[in-house]
Amino acid sequence: MRRPVPPLTFTRDGFWLWALTMAKNSPLSLRRSAALVFPLTLFATPVFAQNGVKEDSVVLQPDKVTDDAPVVETVTEANLPSWSEANATELLSFIEKVGSEGLFPQDYNPDGLAQAILAKNQIQLDKVATDSFLLLATHLRDGRTPNAARKQWFMTDSDAQATPLIPLLTSALNSNSVSRSLAGLDPVHPNFAVLKAALKSAKSPADANAIRVNMERWRWMPRDLGDRYVVSNVPEYLTRVVHGGTIIATHKAVVGKPTTPTPQLNPMATGIIVNPTWTLPKSIIAEGIGATIARSPATARAQGYTWTGSGKTLSVVQQPGANNALGVMKMEMLNPHAIYLHDTPSKGAFASAARAFSHGCIRTERALHFSGLMAVYFAGKSPEEFGEAIASGKTTKFSFEDPFPVYVAYWTVVPNAAGNGIAKLADIYGRDAPVVTSFAKPGRAAAVLISPNPPAVVPTAPMTTTQVNKPGNGGIY
């Protein structure tokens, strides 16, 4: 028999448990309504909330400054069908209209392709059309922007494995579907379609470039984000939870300061930890808590700190409690940047419109609501099990049955709240300008290059034993 749930002083009569249960057991059509109920549960701010709390600092990683080397295949290895005049003409037409994709027609050699079509030289047409297709397909699938202009962008993109270009081109030529094959590389998320539509009515070159930059960022991510994920858009200061392809919750977020910016990445979330401990990085120990421990150990203990060693060997852990810098929850999402989503006792920061205050990690508003969703929707726990874990005050991890990605994104142009256009957000880290500058330069190379077949290797006559040992012939003697 399940033991009674202890009183939860930070909720109102267990109403949040009822809301979670309703959301878990309701048809999808009712889940949005249930999600809207969650804010009404009024998870209270801990009475010991503190200002200026410091959580884990981002581990800065160097930018990627080189592009991946292209895969090189010979004509024989690629074994491509020949280009018909109709397919080549369709490619030329797509290139001429590719400005609607946020790209630039001149990048794809339209003049050379037109000349090859008119020349009726099959060898020339195959080479020019194939080169143009592969470069264009690379930019549609992976983005045009070289890595050097993608500041602090560390997302992994599996599209190259999911949609290899040589099979795509082979299928397009065999089925006479060049335009459809290229158009099918667009990101599937509806926000990309909103940007694409807005580009047609951009009021100025600056507006058009801002939209192009964000269309590019969509292409740097997986074409399909999946139907279960969490996405934090740093310039928007928001985190959204998506389940079954539907946004079931939106939370305000506090992101990294310009001096400790939040990088862009998409690690897999493996679990949610409630009542977490916090192991302090050396930099934060040096900033103050180390001195507090040396000067007034009792004060440090009252704030929940425990430690071992001293001086350079000092290691400090903050135990769960109202003063813990990670609050009541931490999303486990391993990555070399030490970035994760967590709660905070400094609730006042969420009242600000601009919320770039953290050391790099993402602080999450209404953390009990967020962690409850994680436990119920993604870890398969009951609301009662989650409530017991929170009330125990003990560190508890709920592992996700099926890990899912957390996209820490950076879109400065997004659909507006009214749903009838776009909104431009502040570029808090200055990451748009390098992308705009790259538009005036050549884009990244094609992901696949076709090279001529190498000449046949002519075998050399083997040297005889007499020749090898004869002085003057280079042998050892």
Side-chain angles (χ1 to χ4, degrees), residues 126-467:
D126 285 346
K127 180 179 184 341
V128 173
T130 295
D131 288 349
S132 293
F133 181 98
L134 292 176
L135 182 60
L136 176 54
T138 297
H139 291 175
L140 288 168
R141 187 191 68 183
D142 306 330
R144 179 189 186 278
T145 311
N147 282 343
R150 306 183 185 193
K151 300 304 180 184
Q152 288 294 288
W153 191 274
F154 301 100
M155 288 204 195
T156 57
D157 182 359
S158 59
D159 291 345
Q161 291 73 44
T163 312
L165 298 187
I166 294 300
L168 178 73
L169 175 53
T170 300
S171 175
L173 294 178
N174 284 333
S175 60
N176 301 316
S177 58
V178 170
S179 293
R180 186 167 68 250
S181 296
L182 290 169
L185 295 170
D186 275 355
V188 301
H189 197 283
N191 285 14
F192 181 84
V194 171
L195 294 179
K196 189 173 177 179
L199 183 61
K200 297 177 182 178
S201 57
K203 297 179 180 179
S204 69
D207 288 343
N209 276 341
I211 296 170
R212 289 189 186 101
V213 166
N214 288 277
M215 292 175 72
E216 276 287 290
R217 289 195 176 111
W218 275 105
R219 291 192 166 108
W220 306 346
M221 299 172 66
R223 177 174 174 268
D224 188 345
L225 302 186
D227 65 353
R228 299 166 65 255
Y229 58 89
V230 170
V231 56
S232 293
N233 185 24
V234 171
E236 200 174 8
Y237 309 110
L238 289 178
T239 293
R240 296 176 175 89
V241 180
V242 175
H243 191 279
T246 299
I247 297 173
I248 62 172
T250 300
H251 296 256
K252 291 181 180 180
V254 171
V255 302
K257 298 175 291 187
T259 53
T260 52
T262 302
Q264 276 50 75
L265 60 158
N266 56 342
M268 297 298 287
T270 57
I272 194 82
I273 300 173
V274 298
N275 303 316
T277 60
W278 176 41
T279 301
L280 279 68
K282 295 293 185 183
S283 60
I284 292 181
I285 293 175
E287 287 179 14
I289 189 60
T292 301
I293 289 171
R295 183 181 65 253
S296 177
T299 299
R301 290 191 186 95
Q303 294 173 355
Y305 294 109
T306 59
W307 57 90
T308 58
S310 62
K312 293 183 178 180
T313 65
L314 181 62
S315 177
V316 183
V317 175
Q318 191 179 32
Q319 298 302 313
N323 288 319
N324 186 284
L326 305 185
V328 297
M329 76 87 185
K330 168 187 173 181
M331 175 85 89
E332 190 168 73
M333 37 191 273
L334 297 180
N335 62 88
H337 312 268
I339 294 296
Y340 46 83
L341 278 65
H342 64 83
D343 184 22
T344 175
S346 298
K347 309 297 186 186
F350 294 115
S352 299
R355 296 186 288 275
F357 303 129
S358 84
H359 283 65
C361 285
I362 300 172
R363 304 176 191 172
T364 307
E365 180 207 29
R366 295 182 295 120
L368 283 174
H369 172 228
F370 179 87
S371 53
L373 287 175
M374 294 298 108
V376 172
Y377 275 86
F378 297 95
K381 302 300 178 182
S382 70
E384 291 80 10
E385 288 173 305
F386 173 69
E388 289 174 3
I390 288 288
S392 74
K394 298 178 181 179
T395 301
T396 304
K397 177 182 175 181
F398 295 115
S399 296
F400 298 139
E401 298 170 326
D402 185 12
F404 56 87
V406 178
Y407 298 100
V408 182
Y410 195 91
W411 296 298
T412 54
V413 178
V414 297
N416 63 20
N420 58 3
I422 57 173
K424 193 170 188 309
L425 308 174
D427 178 14
I428 57 178
Y429 301 150
R431 291 180 180 166
D432 285 0
V435 184
V436 173
T437 299
S438 76
F439 292 159
K441 302 175 183 179
R444 65 193 297 132
V448 182
L449 299 177
I450 305 299
S451 70
N453 291 322
V457 177
V458 179
T460 57
M463 298 179 72
T464 65
T465 304
T466 302
Q467 289 173 320

Side-chain angles (χ1 to χ4, degrees), residues 22-58:
M22 287 292 291
K24 175 80 171 180
N25 298 328
S26 296
L28 185 59
S29 61
L30 296 180
R31 288 180 184 174
R32 290 185 182 180
S33 298
L36 292 174
V37 170
F38 288 137
L40 302 179
T41 63
L42 297 178
F43 296 132
T45 303
V47 293
F48 299 109
Q50 52 187 317
N51 293 318
V53 68
K54 294 179 178 178
E55 80 306 307
D56 274 0
S57 298
V58 61

